[in-house]
Amino acid sequence: MLLDRRRFLSAVGAWTSSTLVERVAGASLARGLTLAELLRASAHAVVVTPLDARSEWAVLGGQRRIVTDIRVRIEDTLALSPPADAELLVRVLGGIIGTVGERVDGQATLRAGKPSTLFLTPVSPVLTYVTGAAQGHYPLLPDASGVLRLRPSPQLPSLVRKTGIAVTELSGRTLAETRELLGAAGR
Amino acid sequence: MTRLPFACLALSMVLTLAADVRAFCRARTCEPSHPTEDCGIDDHGCTTVGRLLRWNTGCVTFAVQKDGSHRSGIDIDSALDASSRALAAWLLVDCAGKKPSLTGASLGPVTCDESRYDPNGGNANIVIFRDDDWPYPGGNDLFATTVVRFDPATGEILDADIEINTATFLVSATGGNVGVDLQSILSHEFGHFLGLAHSGVDTTMQANWDGVGTALRSLSEDDAAGMCDAYPPGREARASCTPGHGFSSECAAARVEPGDAGCMLAHAPHRREDGSAPAIAIVLAFGVALRRAGRVTCGRRCTGFERMSSSIAECGRDHVVGST
């Protein structure tokens, strides 16, 4: 039996949206953050371009861990306070040093030279972490007309709570729309 | 004529769904957190570059930190039981009528409360409850995290530890209505422990779960397919059940290790990144660690990146270090 056109397109739409939602989720289990929660937990909401990076040993909670510190250039501040300097270090967990690699799923995956929007939690004037792991990372990719839009991070944690969260609110937005949304959410 | 676009669309949906039948992802040695690494991404979001991660032994062990979680009221026996059940779910999946070529064993409670790997001494793959403090800034909303340590040249998993965030969340060992189900969390994390990454469909490794109930305890066909792919029946593997370099219930002592850069760096194991003072320091040097009367000197001028990170590493000037 053939579906009529409206029902067929409706089914396609539902299938497509469910597929997209599933693609948004990812590895380590995390509570999905709302936009207001993401802003409250962050000190900076900025557009950055990663410049270079290095992996090194660091101590977190008394444990020696491999981290990757990524030097980023601040291009724009979308909300909250602007960073004091034109460059920051963004620390993500995991990396490879010599003969040992450490993998931690759900981390932000910045690409050198490719702009991203980041929500950042600072731990010192120059060192920051991405808020909510990859929940605070949105690569900026051009749409068909060349306008940059926020996309979900490729390595998102698997989010427990998927509706009304920042990832779905921000994905697909332009920078101007994002600035407006963040302004409204922060009020 | 008007049916042709529909037919094409339907065919494309069928083909896409068919591709989704096998949607699990396996972790690889390519490290996606490094911005200069292009790890490739396929249609399912799986990385495509690098060697696949897995345990090369035929048996894997785990232990649980002896304190359990006072904050969530989980004692060591309950924690061991939940961990055993969660791991067993993976080890007992059906691979076309056979079982995966990996067995498991519990080594019981251990005193070590740190996630670490000692390349020269005893180790343990530990489940640790973080009651007092979740040590990852910006990550308070993670229920748990698993760190998998591997050999970048071969993809062999050397060690894996699971940390449960009981500082933020109330966790339940009984699967009741109060608290998040421990075994569900562990089922997901043991997937990472075994070398799996997220999946493209609704599975334990791609949780469509609202944090209530015990649904994640049950693995899906896709989870099982991932496990069978990593550990196919009949795989040749070392029979050993012992963790790398032997089992140790204690945390290894801090040691001096060669760093990855020419500039001398210092790290303080007990220094908090909020600026509190270091108790002791580990010295990382280029090739050989210099230890003279507790002071080290940067071996050369630091690069721009190293100067940028100088407030963390204190690169480029003398450091007072304590016992190593």
Side-chain angles (χ1 to χ4, degrees), chain A residues 3-74:
Chain A
L3 293 171
D4 65 49
R5 181 188 302 233
R6 185 180 299 170
R7 287 175 63 194
F8 182 80
L9 290 176
S10 163
V12 169
W15 171 78
T16 304
S17 62
S18 70
T19 302
L20 289 176
V21 167
E22 284 171 354
R23 289 288 184 275
V24 164
S28 300
L29 280 173
R31 180 171 61 191
L33 293 170
T34 65
L35 203 47
E37 289 170 339
L38 189 60
L39 279 171
R40 268 202 304 275
S42 304
H44 312 300
V46 290
V47 176
V48 307
T49 301
L51 301 173
D52 53 14
R54 56 180 290 160
S55 296
E56 61 184 27
W57 292 100
V59 176
L60 303 174
Q63 305 175 118
R64 295 183 65 241
R65 299 287 295 271
I66 297 177
V67 298
T68 298
D69 288 340
I70 304 162
R71 186 166 64 100
V72 301
R73 184 174 63 233
I74 308 299

Side-chain angles (χ1 to χ4, degrees), chain A residues 55 59 63 65 91 111 132, chain B residues 34 115 136 138 141 260 269 273:
Chain A
S55 296
V59 176
Q63 305 175 118
R65 299 287 295 271
R91 174 166 287 180
R111 300 269 68 87
Chain B
H34 201 289
S115 170
Y136 307 113
D141 290 278
D260 63 323
E273 284 172 338

Side-chain angles (χ1 to χ4, degrees), chain A residues 111-131:
Chain A
R111 300 269 68 87
K114 308 288 185 188
S116 288
T117 293
L118 290 180
F119 294 81
L120 296 172
T121 302
V123 292
S124 82
V126 295
L127 180 64
T128 63
Y129 285 76
V130 182
T131 308

Side-chain angles (χ1 to χ4, degrees), chain B residues 64-118:
Chain B
V64 177
Q65 207 283 326
K66 66 180 178 59
D67 295 331
S69 170
H70 297 301
R71 202 159 178 273
S72 283
I74 298 173
D75 61 23
I76 181 65
D77 290 336
S78 302
L80 280 165
D81 183 59
S83 301
S84 299
R85 290 172 186 273
L87 179 59
W90 287 98
L91 301 179
L92 296 175
V93 300
D94 178 54
C95 302
K98 296 181 178 177
K99 296 299 171 204
S101 54
L102 187 71
T103 59
S106 166
L107 296 177
V110 293
T111 56
C112 183
D113 61 356
E114 296 176 15
S115 170
R116 62 192 312 162
Y117 172 68
D118 183 352

